[in-house]
Amino acid sequence: MTIRILPAVGDPDAARTVSALLSQLPDAEPAPAVADSTALVDALAAAVQGAGAPSPAGPAAAVEALPEVVLVHERIGPTPALELIREVALRFPAVGVVLITADAGPALFSAAMDAGARGIVGLPLGYDELAARVQAAAQWSAGVRVHLGGNPDAAPGPSGTLVTVTGAKGGVGTTVTAVHLALAARAAGRSVALLDLDLQSGDVASYLDVQFRRSVVDLAGISDISVRVLQDAVHDHHTGLGLLLAPEEGERGEEVDDRAARQIIGALRSRYEVVLVDCGSQMQSANAAAVELADVALLVTTPDVVAVRAAKRQVRLWDRLQIRKAEETTTVVNRLTRNTEIQPPLVAKATGTQVARTHVPAAFKELQPCVDAGRMQDLDGRSTVKQALWALAGELGLVDAPAARQGRGSHRARPSLTGRRRKAIAAGAAPGSGTGPGPAPGAVPGSAAGSGSRFGARRGSAAAAGGPGSFDPAGPYEEG
């Protein structure tokens, strides 16, 4: 969310300091400072009039034209600061007002709250305190505007989409799924944070070749996570992802409880459009809180008896602890082949969950070089695994339709060039022109000699072929 800020500071030196600090805030649009109370009220009134409405609490356009936050310096004039705050709160109720003062004692704090201020920032100004107060006032303003009719689709508080990825058991591909969903959302132009809450054995850093000093544990003991503190803990990866990683020492994961997890996730959602959480396969209080808060909760399993039983146990555990209902969970079937006895409909029946339409094929040979090098972001775009995972991101709404088409639908089904058709080309017949020799005696319709060859179906996506599996480029090539 972009935060528009209007400072009202009479002293030129203080105005420069405030402007310099506001320019460092992420997602902030500070306006030039106004010099007195009259200029402030006139600027707010002009914004409302420019929207074409006489009342700021009227039409949505008038509410949206106002800045989210107004900063009032204690030495503003000619109207005293507290009287100015009261006037702004009464005339423009959708604006959050923050008082800048050298006296941040209880008496002044109480008087400022009575006047309608949303917070106080002490002098001399500090970045962390100013950022925290501005963000709190902006979130309050967003909530008020929902009720006043300005942007009814917006919700107050955290706005980023939260997606959790949990494994039915260890080794089913949870981290690979989380990493590629995050990469797909980032490639679609969204700001993405990837949080590793597999606190004892998290491997996001290993998959993305990251050397890090700070982890999620460093935020566990902080009661008020400011923007600067969050920036220090999040690793900015060269792919554009913001990484908040699991601790190097697994025993320190116990320091992150459910309260800390909720606070950390809230801070990430207020800054990023998409937050992906790798919850691992072991339920603790922290990742249980993440699953409970999630907009989309994914459960990754492989199509074998042991993994499906583990998925069923996980779903029942969530239900018993009232974390999440089975029908609100989406299961992703990984490493699926056509010959697998357990197919997605059976997984859905066994677990009672929804099963994603996109299934990930079994093609570890495509992944192995990137896994061994620790550079999952370098996976070839032609990889069937990557195509399936990016198509899954499109199914979940993390990417737009054009980005989703880079996934499973990007390969067109192509008929294979069999030996018989090669002879037709050598004889001068154009492939696909219909002048070549017909099918051999006894040939089955739809076989490799026809235009709808079974090789063409295998080379296409699972959805295009109508089957649950997909073509494995490492498999044998058969001649007609």
Side-chain angles (χ1 to χ4, degrees):
M1 180 183 74
T2 301
I3 304 174
R4 294 167 295 176
I5 308 169
L6 178 59
V9 184
D11 181 62
D13 293 335
R16 283 192 292 269
T17 302
V18 170
S19 299
L21 288 175
L22 292 178
S23 64
Q24 300 177 32
L25 296 180
D27 303 324
E29 289 184 1
V34 296
D36 54 49
S37 59
T38 304
L40 172 62
V41 175
D42 290 345
L44 295 175
V48 172
Q49 292 174 0
S55 172
V63 176
E64 287 302 304
L66 291 167
E68 284 77 17
V69 180
V70 167
L71 300 178
V72 176
H73 194 274
E74 63 178 353
R75 294 184 181 179
I76 196 71
T79 305
L82 292 180
E83 292 184 16
L84 177 61
I85 291 173
R86 184 174 290 106
E87 181 179 1
V88 171
L90 289 174
R91 292 185 58 183
F92 310 98
V95 176
V97 185
V98 177
L99 175 63
I100 301 175
T101 177
D103 179 17
L108 182 61
F109 181 86
S110 178
M113 296 301 106
D114 291 340
R118 301 308 309 170
I120 289 182
V121 180
L123 291 172
L125 289 175
Y127 175 88
D128 291 340
E129 184 182 10
L130 180 63
R133 299 288 81 78
V134 166
Q135 286 194 333
Q139 289 188 358
W140 174 86
S141 175
V144 171
R145 291 173 193 227
V146 172
H147 298 289
L148 292 180
N151 192 8
D153 295 330
S159 58
T161 301
L162 177 62
V163 180
T164 58
V165 185
T166 308
K169 57 185 288 293
V172 296
T174 309
T175 302
V176 172
T177 302
V179 168
H180 272 285
L181 290 178
L183 290 171
R186 183 70 191 107
R190 300 191 176 186
S191 58
V192 182
L194 179 55
L195 170 61
D196 194 349
L197 278 185
D198 188 0
L199 297 172
Q200 292 186 348
S201 55
D203 279 327
V204 169
S206 300
Y207 277 92
L208 292 174
D209 191 23
V210 174
Q211 301 294 328
F212 64 98
R213 295 181 299 107
R214 298 190 181 277
S215 69
V216 65
V217 174
D218 295 310
L219 299 178
I222 301 176
S223 58
D224 188 6
I225 301 176
S226 66
V227 177
R228 178 64 62 86
V229 171
L230 188 64
Q231 285 177 333
D232 290 341
V234 173
H235 176 85
D236 293 324
H237 197 252
H238 66 82
T239 58
L241 299 179
L243 305 179
L244 188 53
L245 302 168
E248 188 76 28
E249 304 84 7
E251 65 274 12
R252 295 196 62 195
E254 298 179 357
E255 301 176 27
V256 185
D257 56 10
D258 58 338
R259 182 201 62 80
R262 292 175 186 274
Q263 190 171 8
I264 292 168
I265 290 171
L268 290 172
R269 294 181 72 183
S270 67
R271 184 180 176 192
Y272 294 91
E273 296 177 83
V274 178
V275 178
L276 266 297
V277 183
D278 180 358
C279 293
S281 58
Q282 298 297 321
M283 276 292 101
Q284 300 170 338
S285 60
N287 46 26
V291 173
E292 183 180 3
L293 293 171
D295 299 306
V296 179
L298 299 181
L299 181 62
V300 182
T301 185
T302 49
D304 57 84
V305 173
V306 176
V308 173
R309 284 178 177 172
K312 186 176 182 179
R313 286 197 304 269
Q314 190 76 272
V315 170
R316 288 181 173 178
L317 173 65
W318 289 352
D319 186 60
R320 287 196 305 271
L321 298 179
Q322 297 183 352
I323 296 173
R324 201 169 194 90
K325 296 180 180 179
E327 57 269 21
E328 298 173 352
T329 303
T330 301
T331 300
V332 179
V333 181
N334 189 22
R335 301 174 194 155
L336 185 69
T337 64
R338 292 184 176 182
N339 299 324
T340 304
E341 292 187 12
I342 299 179
Q343 292 294 323
L346 182 57
V347 175
K349 183 177 180 180
T351 60
T353 63
Q354 307 176 46
V355 173
R357 296 189 304 272
T358 307
H359 316 308
V360 185
F364 183 72
K365 289 184 179 180
E366 300 174 6
L367 293 173
Q368 188 168 8
C370 296
V371 171
D372 293 342
R375 297 183 61 83
M376 189 56 62
Q377 67 273 16
D378 293 341
L379 184 62
D380 194 331
R382 295 171 295 180
S383 163
T384 56
V385 175
K386 180 175 181 178
Q387 291 173 12
L389 289 174
W390 285 43
L392 175 63
E395 180 181 336
L396 299 176
L398 301 182
V399 301
D400 298 329
R405 284 197 294 268
Q406 295 177 7
R408 194 174 53 175
S410 62
H411 273 48
R412 294 184 178 180
R414 297 185 298 266
S416 64
L417 191 62
T418 62
R420 192 172 290 107
R421 296 188 69 188
R422 289 196 185 100
K423 294 177 181 178
I425 295 174
S433 63
T435 59
V444 179
S447 65
S451 59
S453 79
R454 58 191 177 96
F455 289 103
R458 289 181 67 198
R459 290 181 186 271
S461 64
S470 64
F471 173 65
D472 183 1
Y477 182 85
E478 302 177 14
E479 285 288 339

